[in-house]
Amino acid sequence: MSTLDHRPAGTGRLTSFGRGLLRFARTQPFGSIALGVIIIFVLAALFAPLIAPYDPVAQHRDAIQLPPSGEFWLGTDDLGRDVFSRVLYGARTSLLVALATLATGGVLGSVIGIFSGYFGGRWIDSVLQRVMDTLMAIPGIVLLLFVAALLGPSVRNTIIALSLLVIPSFNRVARGQMLQIREELYVTAARANGCGVLRILRTHGLPNLLAPMLVVMSLMLAIVMIAESALSFLGVGTPPPTPSWGLMLSDGSRYMEIAPWMVVFPGGMLAVAVLAFNLLGDALRDFFDPKQIR
Amino acid sequence: MTEYVIRRLLYGLLVVFLVTVFVFLALRLIPGDVVRLQLADAPGVTEEQVDRLAAELGLNQPLFTQLGTFLADAVRGDFGQSFQDGEQVTTLIGERLPITLQLGAMAVLFGVLAGIPLGVLSAVRRNSWLDQSLRLVSVAGISIPNFWLGLLMVTYLALLFTWSPPLVYQGPTEDLSSNLVHLALPALALGTSTMASIARMLRSSLLEVLHSNFIRTVRAKGASELRVIGKHAMRNSVVPVFSILGLQVGHILGGTVILESIFGIPGMGMLIFESVQMRDYPVVLGCVVVYGAVFVLINLIVDVCYGVIDPRIRYART
C-alpha cells in the first residue's frame, strides 16, 4: 500500500507531485487517457454556459425532435430543446451532485472509518460497524428510493441519499487502513515519543490514507453518477426542468424509435464518464500498488 | 462447519433486525407524519379524523411501543396493509418476490456462463490483442449503466430482429416460453456487469495461479494445457470469483428495480417503485426489509459455499 519514497530531502512538494504525474502518465496509458477525458468533462461542465449554443431549457417550438444537424449538433428533444446544451448542463448537474456527495458522504464515511479503526475499542468499533453493515444490506437503488420516498425528490435529498450509499465504502477503506497503520512500528515509536493523537493522524495517518482514498473516490464517483442518473430516470431524483442525464433518458425512452438521439447521447456521455472514472480508479490502484496483478 | 454456518446465520439475523429498526425509525422520525401525508390529498379532513386514523394505526403511542409492536408483527410476517388497496403487504410481496428472484437468477446465470469463458480466454492469451480487447470490453461492461443498456436493447434488438418483448407479463406456469423471452433482455442487461466483473476477476486470479510452483510441476509432468487449466488452475482461482458473486448480489437486486420498470415486469422492483411514488409507506417498508433479508440470505449462502470451497475461511474470525 504505502509507496517507498527515495526522493532526496529538500525536494519541494510540487515537483514531487509533477514527477508522480509523469510517472503515472508513463506507466498507466489507459489511466492517463481516462484522466484526460475526465478533465475535458470537468471543463465542459464548468464552462457549460460559454460552450452551450442554446439555453438548456429554452423550447424551440419550430424544432421538435429534429435529428442532429449543423444547427442542433445532437438534435432536439420532444419540447424542442437542444440536446447538446442539455447534455452539457446535465454534466454539470451530475458532477455537482457527485462532488457534493463525496464532500458529505465521503468525508463522513472516512471520519467514521478513521475513528472506528484508530480509536474504536471493542464497543465503539463494533457498534459503528454494525451500523455500516445495516446500510450495506439494503441494495443501492432500494436505499435511494427509500430516502426519496421519505424526503421527497430534490437535488438536496438526492445528495443525502447518495451520501448514505457511499458512507460504508469510505468507512471500510479508511478503517482498514487505520487498523493496519495502528500496528506499525513507526506509529508505536511516535506514540512512545509522546506525539499527540492529532499529530500521529496528520503525519502518519493521512499520508497513508491518501492513495487508497484517491482510488475509492474515483470508483465511487462512477457509482454515484450512475446512481444519480438512475434515480432521476425513475423520476425521484433531480426534479425537472433541471437538465440531468437521467431525466433526459427517461424523457427519451418514450420516443426511442423516432428520436434515438434523445437517449443515445446522454446515456453515451454517462457511460463514457463512468468508464473514465472506473479506468482511472483501476489505474490509480495499479500505480500505488504495483504488486497486485490486475 | 456447523458452527460456522450458525455463526453466520445469527449475524445475518442481527443485520436483518437492524435493517428493520433502521427503516422503521427513519420512517417515524421524518418531519411530517404518515397520517397527514396519507390524508393530504383528501379535501376537508378534520382534526378528529386525523386523530382517529392515528389511533387506528397506533401512532399515538410512544415510539418504542410502536417499534415493539411493529417488530412483533414483522416476525410473524405481518407488515400491515397497503394504503392503496388495503391488501396485506406480505401477500403483495409474496406474489412479486419470485419474479424478481427469477430475473436475478437469470442475470447471474448469464453472468457466470459468459464471464468464465471470457476470463479464461483472457488469461490464457495474456497480453494478446484478444486479451486487450476483452479487458476493455470488461471495463466497459462494468461501466455501462444497465438501464441505458436495457433501453438500447429493447429498441435496437427489436428493430434488428423485428421482434419486441411481449406486452403482458406471464408467469412461468402460464406460458413458460413467453415468460423466459420477456425476462431474457433485462437479464442480459443486468448480467452484463456480472459477466464483466467475473471475467476480470477470473483473469487476474488465474494469472496468479498459473505462475505458482504447483502449476509448473503439473506442466513438468506433461499434463495437457487443457488439463492444467481445467483441472488444476481453475479449482484454485474460482474462490475470488465467488467473492465477486457476493458483491454483485446488491447490484443485481438494485438493478432489478429499474429494469423491471423499463420492461414492465411486475416484480418487487415495480412494487417498491410504485409504492414510493404513491407514498404507500407500509409497502415501502416491507419491501426494504425483504430486500435486506434477501440480500443477507444470498450473501449467507455465498459465504457458506465459500467456506466449503476454501476451508481456511471457516476458521478465520468473522
Side-chain angles (χ1 to χ4, degrees):
Chain A
M1 277 293 156
S2 58
T3 46
L4 280 176
D5 212 343
H6 293 302
R7 77 190 134 133
T11 315
R13 191 168 282 182
L14 203 67
T15 52
S16 88
F17 175 74
R19 209 175 299 161
L21 208 62
L22 266 180
R23 197 156 63 85
F24 182 79
R26 217 173 40 240
T27 53
Q28 306 289 339
F30 278 132
S32 309
I33 296 171
L35 187 62
V37 170
I38 291 169
I39 291 172
I40 293 173
F41 169 70
V42 170
L43 288 178
L46 211 59
F47 296 111
L50 297 177
I51 306 167
Y54 301 95
D55 182 341
V57 289
Q59 305 180 0
H60 306 270
R61 293 290 158 89
D62 48 346
I64 303 290
Q65 289 180 335
L66 290 182
S69 65
E71 196 182 352
F72 300 101
W73 291 354
L74 301 184
T76 57
D77 69 4
D78 53 322
L79 297 175
R81 295 173 296 194
D82 181 38
V83 173
F84 178 61
S85 307
R86 288 179 69 73
V87 165
L88 276 179
Y89 275 88
R92 227 171 191 215
T93 312
S94 188
L95 207 63
L96 211 68
V97 169
L99 289 179
T101 301
L102 288 200
T104 52
V107 170
L108 202 60
S110 310
V111 169
I112 294 175
I114 292 172
F115 184 76
S116 192
Y118 191 80
F119 301 106
R122 254 185 99 86
W123 275 101
I124 299 177
D125 187 44
S126 5
V127 168
L128 284 175
Q129 293 320 306
R130 294 306 80 79
V131 174
M132 292 300 135
D133 284 351
T134 308
L135 277 182
M136 269 197 288
I138 306 172
I141 293 284
V142 176
L143 182 65
L144 296 178
L145 275 176
F146 178 62
V147 177
L150 289 184
L151 304 174
S154 76
V155 173
R156 192 200 62 180
N157 296 341
T158 307
I159 294 170
I160 295 177
L162 291 168
S163 298
L164 283 179
L165 189 70
V166 300
I167 283 177
S169 306
F170 279 94
N171 159 72
R172 196 176 55 227
V173 173
R175 176 170 173 270
Q177 200 68 8
M178 281 331 258
L179 281 175
Q180 208 182 329
I181 295 168
R182 199 171 61 169
E183 306 301 325
E184 296 281 357
L185 266 182
Y186 58 80
V187 172
T188 318
R191 219 180 290 152
N193 269 332
C195 281
V197 165
L198 282 178
R199 190 183 156 91
I200 290 180
L201 282 182
R202 200 180 65 238
T203 53
H204 301 300
L206 293 184
N208 275 305
L209 271 179
L210 189 64
M213 277 298 151
L214 279 177
V215 175
V216 77
M217 264 164 66
S218 191
L219 298 177
M220 281 297 125
L221 275 170
I223 287 179
V224 167
M225 287 176 73
I226 289 192
E228 187 269 331
S229 297
L231 211 53
S232 305
F233 178 80
L234 288 173
V236 285
T238 314
T242 315
S244 140
W245 293 340
L247 274 175
M248 294 176 75
L249 285 176
S250 95
D251 287 343
S253 66
R254 277 171 285 147
Y255 308 103
M256 285 283 295
E257 282 92 359
I258 48 171
W261 52 89
M262 284 176 64
V263 165
V264 171
F265 292 119
M269 272 299 274
L270 175 63
V272 168
V274 170
L275 181 65
F277 278 115
N278 273 334
L279 280 174
L280 180 67
D282 279 356
L284 284 171
R285 180 163 45 203
D286 288 351
F287 180 67
F288 290 125
D289 188 14
K291 270 176 295 179
Q292 202 179 7
I293 315 166
R294 278 268 150 196
Chain B
M1 189 66 207
T2 324
E3 193 209 319
Y4 172 73
V5 174
I6 290 174
R7 204 169 56 205
R8 299 288 309 152
L9 194 65
L10 286 179
Y11 189 62
L13 281 176
L14 174 71
V15 172
V16 174
F17 170 77
L18 289 175
V19 168
T20 316
V21 173
F22 163 74
V23 170
F24 180 83
L25 290 182
L27 197 54
R28 288 296 181 270
L29 294 179
I30 49 151
D33 68 78
V34 185
V35 181
R36 274 169 220 281
L37 282 172
Q38 195 193 344
L39 295 177
D41 300 334
V45 182
T46 61
E47 277 304 302
E48 219 173 294
Q49 279 171 301
V50 170
D51 289 342
R52 203 169 60 226
L53 188 60
E56 214 172 279
L57 295 170
L59 292 176
N60 49 1
Q61 284 167 351
L63 192 64
F64 280 94
T65 317
Q66 288 184 44
L67 177 62
T69 319
F70 178 77
L71 284 172
D73 287 344
V75 167
R76 278 180 250 131
D78 178 9
F79 288 102
Q81 291 160 345
S82 160
F83 282 167
Q84 285 306 113
D85 45 15
E87 185 105 36
Q88 282 291 320
V89 173
T90 321
T91 319
L92 280 173
I93 292 177
E95 281 166 10
R96 280 138 176 272
L97 183 61
I99 301 173
T100 295
L101 290 182
Q102 189 196 350
L103 176 59
M106 284 171 70
V108 172
L109 197 68
F110 164 68
V112 171
L113 289 184
I116 288 183
L118 289 184
V120 173
L121 214 59
S122 213
V124 173
R125 301 247 179 280
R126 188 184 182 186
N127 290 337
S128 65
W129 64 268
L130 184 69
D131 177 31
Q132 296 290 356
S133 40
L134 279 179
R135 284 175 78 185
L136 207 62
V137 167
S138 340
V139 187
I142 292 170
S143 306
I144 290 178
N146 51 27
F147 54 101
W148 188 55
L149 198 59
L151 280 177
L152 292 184
M153 276 181 174
V154 81
T155 313
Y156 290 106
L157 288 184
L159 279 182
L160 210 60
F161 298 114
T162 54
W163 165 89
S164 59
L167 287 174
V168 183
Y169 174 83
Q170 285 181 304
T173 46
E174 288 167 308
D175 186 348
L176 186 62
S177 67
S178 155
N179 173 268
L180 289 180
V181 164
H182 198 164
L183 293 183
L185 282 187
L188 224 61
L190 201 54
T192 301
S193 72
T194 312
M195 170 194 83
S197 312
I198 287 181
R200 253 158 67 103
M201 188 44 109
L202 189 59
R203 176 186 183 274
S204 65
S205 68
L206 251 183
L207 281 179
E208 213 167 298
V209 172
L210 282 175
H211 278 111
S212 56
N213 291 334
F214 79 92
I215 289 293
R216 202 177 49 204
T217 312
V218 173
R219 285 218 170 99
K221 76 172 190 188
S224 67
E225 196 61 12
L226 190 71
R227 199 177 157 79
V228 169
I229 305 230
K231 186 156 186 320
H232 299 275
M234 270 306 270
R235 203 184 259 191
N236 282 284
S237 26
V238 88
V239 174
V241 173
F242 245 90
S243 71
I244 287 285
L245 276 186
L247 289 176
Q248 286 281 318
V249 173
H251 183 81
I252 297 251
L253 278 178
T256 54
V257 175
I258 199 157
L259 283 164
E260 277 174 17
S261 78
I262 293 177
F263 285 88
I265 297 162
M268 277 275 283
M270 190 89 111
L271 180 66
I272 190 174
F273 174 51
E274 284 167 358
S275 315
V276 163
Q277 285 181 318
M278 300 292 176
R279 297 207 153 197
D280 192 344
Y281 287 112
V283 182
V284 173
L285 221 153
C287 283
V288 177
V289 172
V290 170
Y291 265 113
V294 170
F295 177 85
V296 167
L297 188 68
I298 297 178
N299 261 304
L300 179 79
I301 295 170
V302 170
D303 275 356
V304 170
C305 294
Y306 213 68
V308 171
I309 300 174
D310 190 348
R312 281 169 300 182
I313 294 166
R314 274 180 252 161
Y315 303 110
R317 244 189 104 240
T318 39

